Amino acid sequence: MTPTERVGPPGFRNRAAQEGSESTGLAAVASRSECSRGRLYPEPEHEFRTAYQRDRDRVIHSRAFRRLQYKTQVFVHHEGDHYRNRLTHTLEGAQITRTIARVLGLNEDLAEAIALAHDLGHTPFGHAGERVLAEMLVSEGGFDHNRQCLRVVDLLEQRHVEYPGLNLSDETREGILKHGCNWTHPVELPELLAQRSLEAQVADAADEIAYLNHDLDDALRAELLTFEMIEDLPHLGNLIREVDAEYVSAPDPVRRSWIVRGMINGLVTDLIATSFARIEAQGLDSPDAVRRNATRAISLSDELDRARRELKSFLFDGFYNHPTVLSRTGRAEAVVEDLFRAFSKDPARLPEGVRGRCGEEGEARAIADYVAGMTDRFALSEHRKVLGSEHGVDL
Ligand code: MG
C-alpha cells in the first residue's frame, strides 16, 4: 500500500486510510492490522473495516456471544436483574480494555476483539461447570475455558460453508489462547512466544480489574459482604473513609459506587503509568520485541498490586467461598455432571449436529462442547428433561 492509495476524499476513512492512521498514529509496540499474520483460511480484506475490526464484529455477531447473557458470573440469572452476568462482565472488561489500549497507543480494535471474545468458552454456572468438565475429560486432555474459547471461535461457530468457526486473525486467536493447549486442536494453533501482544496483556489485566470490582459491587449489594468488613482493609477502607468524609450518611448505592469507581480508577491509572514506564525502560520497540521479552510489560506498581491482591483475597474469603454461594455451586456442579453422564450413557439424546461431531473428535469432547455451550437456564431445563422433573434442581 503506497501512501497515495490511502488518500480519499477529505474525512473519508476506508480501511486503507485507517491502516494509514494506525501506521503513523499508534505506538511502536502496537499491533498493526495491515501487518496481521492472517487467518487460517485466507480471505480478501474488507473495503472499510480493518482485520481486527472484522474480528470484533464477528465475535459480537456470534451465537456464543449472545449466550453470555444467560451465563453466570457469580449469581445465577434469575437471582436479580441488576447483578452481572457474563455478557455485562464482558462489556465492562472491554470498555476498560479500550481505555487502557487507547492511552498506551495500542491497537484498540484488537484489544477490544480479544476482550469481547475472552469468555466465549465459559461453561454454564461459572467455574463450577468448568471444574466438572475438567474432571470428566481428565483422560482426554482436560478442559479449561480459555482453550474452549478457541474451540468456539475456530470450530464450533457455524457461519460459512467453506470453513468452520469465525476465521479470526492470528493475533486475536493468540490473545484468546492464554497458555498452550494440551489436547489436540484440529486446526493450527497460533504461535505462542514468551509473552503475548500488549493488546492481549491489556485485555487480561482489564478482565481482572472488571470482575474484582463488579463482584465487590454485587456482593455488597447482596449483603453477603458489608461495608464494616471493608473498613479495616488498607485500600478499600480508605475509600470508605473518603466517601464518608465527603457526604454525611450517603446512601448505600452511592457508597458502593464511590468505592468501586475509586478502585477501578486507581488500578487503571496506575496500570497505564506503570506499563508505559516499563515499555520505555525495557526498550520495547515492536510487537515482536514484546513477545520475546522475558516479562510482561503490562503491569501494576507494587503498591497497587497490593491493593489488587487485598481485594481479591477479600472476595475469595468472603464472597466466592460464602456458604450461600458455595451451596449453589455444589448444586450447579451436580447439574453439569448429571448432564454429561446422561449424554455419555445415551448419546441418542444429543441433538443431531452434536452426534455428528462425535465421530470427528470423540464422544467425550463433543458432549463437553455441547454442555459447555449451554446457558444456565438451558442447562437447568435440559436437566429436568433428561433426568425427569422429579430430579429438577433449583439454584
Ligand atoms: Mg472474564
Side-chain angles (χ1 to χ4, degrees), residues 73 86 89-90 118-119 122 207 211:
Q73 185 62 30
R86 288 264 163 221
H89 157 68
T90 296
H118 87 281
D119 268 355
H122 257 293
D207 173 35
Y211 86 73

Side-chain angles (χ1 to χ4, degrees), residues 151 155-156 352-362 366 369:
R151 287 183 64 77
L155 305 166
L156 300 178
E352 204 182 312
V354 181
R355 280 205 306 276
R357 295 189 56 79
C358 290
E360 287 166 39
E361 291 192 67
D369 285 339

